[in-house]
Amino acid sequence: MRAVIILTEEQAAAIRAAALQSYPRECCGLLIGEGDAVGRVVAAPNIARDPVSHFEIDPQILFDQARSARETNMRILGHYHSHPNGRGEPSDADLLMAHDPDAVWLVAAVNGDAVSLRAFVPGNGGFREIPLET
């Protein structure tokens, strides 16, 4: 079970910028790396029917990035998405989509011009927050 996730300052800044740029819609993307360290952040278009309150990553991007990650001895560690409503924890809709107990759910909560980042993993019918190191 994952205990921590590590981002560089540049990766964290890129996620914050994407959340602000997408506002009032949710942004989303993938966290690719090895172990607990994110090696790269891959932005993806939000293809959800209602991108203001939901997110969906294009399955083709998931497939392509999984293949690319394997070629560099990495894997998809999880994903990020924003909450334009400022909520800094996963929603009920997020819980319905959480199937991989080791996948990181990084939430970028937008509050005006500020974006806070928090990381979670699913389990036991909910989410457990894990430390996010930058």
Side-chain angles (χ1 to χ4, degrees):
M1 205 179 301
R2 184 172 304 285
V4 65
I5 192 72
I6 304 164
L7 292 174
T8 67
E9 286 290 341
E10 293 80 15
Q11 292 165 338
I15 293 169
R16 287 186 183 101
L20 289 171
Q21 183 178 358
S22 292
Y23 185 86
R25 294 172 311 281
E26 292 192 13
C27 72
C28 57
L30 298 170
L31 306 171
I32 298 172
E34 56 184 320
D36 296 328
V38 174
R40 67 180 187 263
V41 171
V42 178
N46 182 351
I47 65 167
R49 270 195 266 197
D50 181 10
V52 172
S53 60
H54 294 85
F55 80 97
E56 182 178 351
I57 296 172
D58 185 329
Q60 187 65 53
I61 290 174
L62 284 167
F63 178 80
D64 292 345
Q65 290 301 317
R67 181 185 311 166
S68 174
R70 278 193 311 271
E71 291 170 359
T72 57
N73 293 321
M74 293 190 215
R75 65 183 189 88
I76 296 174
L77 302 176
H79 60 274
Y80 67 88
H81 72 284
S82 62
H83 281 181
N85 62 9
R87 287 193 53 194
E89 62 274 339
S91 67
D92 291 339
D94 294 336
L95 185 57
L96 292 174
M97 296 177 8
H99 303 292
D100 180 352
D102 198 39
V104 174
W105 284 68
L106 193 145
V107 175
V110 180
N111 290 298
D113 290 337
V115 179
S116 61
L117 302 179
R118 294 173 66 192
F120 301 84
V121 290
N124 296 329
F127 282 93
R128 175 178 60 87
E129 187 166 10
I130 61 170
L132 172 62
E133 296 179 7
T134 54

